[in-house]
Amino acid sequence: MSVLGTVLFLGCGANGARIENLRVVYGGAGSTDAFVVWDSVRGKNTAVVDYDVFVNGKKCETSAAENAGKTNELAFSARNDFYETYGAYQVDVSFYKIENLAPESANTVRVVARDKNGKTVARSEKIRVKTAAAPKIISIVDFGAVSGAQGTESARANTKAIQNAIDACPAGGTVLVPDGTFVSGSLWLKSNMTFQIDGELSGSVYAADYDFGFLMYDYYTDKRFWGIINAEGAENVRIVGKGTVNGNGWKLGANGSYVHSKNDKAYEDGILAADCMREYANLTGDGNVKNAFASRATMVLLKNVDTLFIEGLTFTNPANHTVNIIDSKNVTVTGIKEKTYDCANGDGIGFICSQNGIFYNNYIDTGDDSIVFSSGVGKSAHTTGERGSSDVQIFGNYIFHGHGGVAFGSHTALGIRNVLIHDNIIFRTQMAFRIKSAAANGGEVSDIDFGNNVLAKNRLAFIMTTEYNDKGTVTNYAASEKVASFHDILLHDSLVYDAGTMVSIVGTEENPHKDILFENVRFVRCGGGIDSENVENLRLVNVVMDSKIDEK
């Protein structure tokens, strides 16, 4: 499938005056709530200003835009602040959280689009939404978890208590972390459960409280620490709540951000990060600082999970990455707040050798790539039966800071394909749209549709390169026979403000990038130009460079 056949101006698949593809997201039907999304129609009818949702024939009290603010106040506030400067065009909101439904009830849902006068200009078909049974709720306090306790003995006691609660949770049940601060090491979720965090789950600062032996890929040899929240080989897992997961990875700097560190400096700058390095040396006898640095715990590790739903939580201060989703499928992440700037390798959401993902209405402020796709490295990637990453929709997010806003690679061996990115704000990153691969990694990135986004004050707006230096990799692996190729990439109907450099595309003579289209993209007050090397069929259609921001 090539994305270059059709340009979708703010439509994302809508047909005329009908709202298409109204659906419940993966794992999005709880006992009293349901999460629905649909295809935007604003491009088919620019008079559309908002959407109303009807449940069982009755209009919900809040519109889609109002509901977005209710379900992620931080993202909503950040968007409104952004619009004060860059408000000539505002991204669409095509999602809704329906609350206060009855457990085990069958409901009908319809969405209508309206103009500024309240007139209906498009409508969806009705869909049926069935809620789950009311869950049995198990509080970790009832199993002995204690709020406010400190030290390694308390962390181990809490870890045991919380794990006992998880193990005792019946199918369809909920394990509740209530108000308070609960220190813990590695926890393991299981199938058919909800882990609800309404207080703070605070990661132990001692690496010995975390399981050791995690491998990013089966052919990797560098073992790492598992996270605070883990699951492997599970299905129907929900991780939700109004609370916080704190990784306690790094010290705060004088500027209020987490200290950005690397290698031997991490012994001074890190908290859990430093202790992971010390404990790695104790466990392995390996005194190599680079290897120790790579061993740091990622905060949330979810591997081989089918139907995963993450919603509402705040994630802060990971020792390594924030949330990594590996070898999984049918994934939804919505309404979360990630505040990890400027943690070393503090990637926001990693989607690794996984399929079928929806990421929307999130606030992501990271120390590295914000939403990043990976799919293995070199020849070894083809020996495990893993699949590449594919079939993902990213929309309605506020992405701030970080190296890449939406990033592909550098692990590209098994391919990254069929990704639709629309109606996002990407602000003050180093590279807003980033495709990268190291020469040894191989593979491809293809069928990417990036449209209807607003980018501002990014150092580089669009970059695609196979000259990336993957210097953080510790494991040695056999190089791919061919350098990666990027092809069938559509970048359209977007506004780019105040970029230091507009576009840089670098391929190789033996395997050039090809079929890349920029259409209806407006660059305002941007530096640089459109630089390309070893690219076939790079097309520019209605690409405009202006010097003045439109009035709101």
Side-chain angles (χ1 to χ4, degrees):
M1 186 274 290
S2 171
V3 299
L4 297 186
T6 304
V7 175
L8 303 174
F9 177 69
L10 286 167
C12 302
N15 180 16
R18 175 169 293 179
I19 297 172
E20 301 284 357
N21 208 18
L22 174 62
R23 64 204 185 276
V24 180
V25 300
Y26 306 117
S31 61
T32 61
D33 53 37
F35 294 77
V36 296
V37 300
W38 57 89
D39 291 346
S40 166
V41 295
R42 187 182 287 174
K44 297 295 182 181
N45 189 331
T46 56
V48 172
V49 297
D50 207 347
Y51 302 86
D52 291 317
V53 175
F54 290 78
V55 179
N56 299 325
K58 182 179 179 181
K59 187 171 80 169
C60 296
E61 292 182 358
T62 57
S63 69
E66 292 166 341
N67 184 262
K70 181 179 177 183
T71 53
N72 194 331
E73 293 181 3
L74 185 57
F76 182 77
S77 176
R79 276 194 292 267
N80 286 342
D81 289 344
F82 181 89
Y83 293 148
E84 287 297 313
T85 302
Y86 303 103
Y89 168 72
Q90 299 185 8
V91 297
D92 203 11
V93 174
S94 54
F95 47 85
Y96 203 93
K97 179 181 180 180
I98 304 167
E99 299 180 271
N100 301 317
L101 299 172
E104 292 187 285
S105 62
N107 307 273
T108 61
V109 176
R110 182 195 293 274
V111 175
V112 301
R114 57 177 168 81
D115 65 16
K116 65 181 181 180
N117 298 314
K119 179 182 177 181
T120 296
V121 293
R123 67 178 65 237
S124 73
E125 297 291 337
K126 288 182 182 179
I127 64 168
R128 295 190 179 276
V129 178
K130 185 174 181 179
T131 55
K136 180 178 180 180
I137 298 175
I138 297 175
S139 173
I140 63 171
V141 174
D142 294 337
F143 282 76
V146 177
S147 174
Q150 301 294 326
T152 188
E153 292 302 321
S154 296
R156 289 172 183 173
N158 268 358
T159 303
K160 183 177 180 180
I162 299 169
Q163 190 63 56
N164 285 342
I166 293 168
D167 294 344
C169 183
T174 295
V175 172
L176 174 65
V177 180
D179 288 344
T181 299
F182 297 87
V183 177
S184 179
S186 289
L187 301 169
W188 291 85
L189 307 185
K190 62 182 184 179
S191 295
N192 302 311
M193 69 164 291
T194 296
F195 193 48
Q196 180 174 330
I197 303 169
D198 287 343
E200 178 175 315
L201 184 65
S202 183
S204 170
V205 300
Y206 302 103
D209 296 329
Y210 297 83
D211 294 330
F212 181 71
F214 167 74
L215 295 172
M216 179 69 75
Y217 304 112
D218 288 347
Y219 48 90
Y220 264 24
T221 58
D222 60 302
K223 293 182 178 180
R224 310 177 187 184
F225 291 92
W226 286 88
I228 305 167
I229 300 174
N230 309 278
E232 186 172 20
E235 61 182 8
N236 300 322
V237 175
R238 289 166 59 93
I239 306 170
V240 304
K242 62 182 182 181
T244 297
V245 184
N246 183 352
N248 288 313
W250 301 94
K251 298 175 183 176
L252 278 172
N255 63 356
S257 298
Y258 298 111
V259 176
H260 187 82
S261 190
K262 62 180 180 179
N263 294 337
D264 58 343
K265 284 195 76 211
Y267 288 114
E268 177 183 349
D269 299 333
I271 305 174
L272 175 61
D275 207 60
C276 284
M277 295 174 68
R278 288 188 289 265
E279 184 66 11
Y280 170 84
N282 291 336
L283 290 170
T284 65
D286 181 1
N288 184 291
V289 172
K290 183 179 178 180
N291 293 348
F293 190 73
S295 75
R296 293 164 294 132
T298 287
M299 198 151 58
V300 180
L301 282 169
L302 305 162
K303 191 169 185 178
N304 192 22
V305 177
D306 184 352
T307 311
L308 169 66
F309 181 81
I310 303 175
E311 185 261 337
L313 293 165
T314 297
F315 298 91
T316 187
N317 198 11
N320 200 339
H321 300 166
T322 308
V323 178
N324 273 351
I325 300 162
I326 307 166
D327 295 332
S328 297
K329 59 185 178 182
N330 304 326
V331 174
T332 300
V333 181
T334 180
I336 69 169
K337 287 77 66 177
E338 291 188 331
K339 295 186 282 187
T340 73
Y341 186 78
D342 192 17
C343 296
N345 308 112
D347 298 57
I349 301 169
F351 199 67
I352 303 162
C353 295
S354 295
Q355 302 81 43
N356 301 332
I358 301 175
F359 308 131
Y360 71 94
N361 196 28
N362 300 298
Y363 175 94
I364 304 177
D365 179 8
T366 69
D368 208 300
D369 291 333
S370 297
I371 299 175
V372 57
F373 297 88
S374 299
S375 65
V377 294
K379 290 182 178 179
S380 299
H382 299 275
T383 65
T384 65
E386 284 183 301
R387 298 166 57 192
S389 293
S390 65
D391 304 307
V392 177
Q393 188 176 7
I394 300 169
F395 59 105
N397 301 290
Y398 186 91
I399 296 172
F400 185 42
H401 286 133
H403 296 177
V406 179
F408 304 80
S410 63
H411 295 184
T412 54
L414 296 174
I416 302 166
R417 306 175 184 89
N418 297 337
V419 180
L420 174 62
I421 307 157
H422 65 92
D423 291 290
N424 302 281
I425 292 171
I426 305 178
F427 186 42
R428 288 188 181 276
T429 69
Q430 291 185 19
M431 292 155 277
F433 176 88
R434 184 185 197 190
I435 307 180
K436 55 181 176 172
S437 183
N441 289 350
E444 65 174 358
V445 177
S446 67
D447 299 297
I448 310 300
D449 184 328
F450 181 95
N452 319 303
N453 301 290
V454 182
L455 287 58
K457 287 190 176 296
N458 300 283
R459 188 178 301 174
L460 204 162
F462 301 97
I463 182 169
M464 309 173 212
T465 181
T466 46
E467 292 186 341
Y468 181 75
N469 181 359
D470 208 353
K471 58 187 176 182
T473 299
V474 172
T475 294
N476 293 319
Y477 55 89
S480 176
E481 293 180 359
K482 283 187 176 182
V483 175
S485 176
F486 313 147
H487 61 90
D488 294 292
I489 297 169
L490 171 63
L491 307 118
H492 65 97
D493 299 297
S494 293
L495 288 170
V496 183
Y497 296 109
D498 297 320
T501 301
M502 295 193 304
V503 178
S504 175
I505 308 174
V506 179
T508 60
E509 290 185 8
E510 62 271 21
N511 204 21
H513 307 320
K514 59 186 178 182
D515 297 330
I516 299 172
L517 170 63
F518 286 82
E519 184 158 9
N520 301 329
V521 179
R522 183 178 173 210
F523 294 91
V524 182
R525 299 191 316 204
C526 295
I530 298 176
D531 299 324
S532 65
E533 181 179 345
N534 296 315
V535 183
E536 296 178 356
N537 195 26
L538 169 63
R539 291 182 290 153
L540 310 178
V541 178
N542 194 29
V543 173
V544 178
M545 303 174 194
D546 285 339
S547 59
K548 184 179 179 181
I549 295 178
D550 292 339
E551 297 294 329
K552 287 187 283 186

